[in-house]
Amino acid sequence: MFDKAKLMAKAFKLKKALESELTELEENGVLIKVSGDQKVKFLSINGAENKILVEVINKAMKKSQESAAKKMQDMGGLDGLF
């Protein structure tokens, strides 16, 4: 049980570290900032911020991640890979 609590604490620390990382890319008038946990934090096109597009992209990413997690679970998860 102690190992599980230790592992959970480590996972939480990693999650927080990833959330604080920010990658920024500007190309062809588009500026995007993405956190290490794969969430779009900011998007602007030709200097105009687009919060609606950020929201829709993040919803699509979450839906995709949930679908992938379900498929992995249906296939037996990560058991036996390590």
Side-chain angles (χ1 to χ4, degrees):
M1 188 64 137
F2 179 70
D3 289 337
K4 188 174 182 179
K6 208 173 175 182
L7 185 61
M8 292 292 289
K10 216 175 194 180
F12 182 75
K13 187 176 179 182
L14 177 60
K15 181 180 183 290
K16 288 296 175 190
L18 287 173
E19 288 172 351
S20 68
E21 290 289 321
L22 201 61
T23 301
E24 186 176 312
L25 178 67
E26 187 169 8
E27 200 170 292
N28 299 319
V30 177
L31 171 63
I32 189 164
K33 297 179 184 181
V34 181
S35 61
D37 62 343
Q38 306 299 296
K39 290 190 174 95
V40 176
K41 296 296 185 179
F42 179 84
L43 175 69
S44 70
I45 301 170
N46 296 322
E49 185 178 0
N50 196 323
K51 291 180 182 180
I52 293 172
L53 189 53
V54 167
E55 196 175 301
V56 172
I57 290 170
N58 284 329
K59 283 181 182 178
M61 293 293 287
K62 183 176 181 180
K63 188 174 181 178
S64 172
Q65 291 165 350
E66 288 170 350
S67 176
K70 183 176 179 349
K71 184 168 277 196
M72 284 180 65
Q73 187 177 27
D74 291 347
M75 295 176 71
L78 298 176
D79 294 343
L81 289 179
F82 299 103

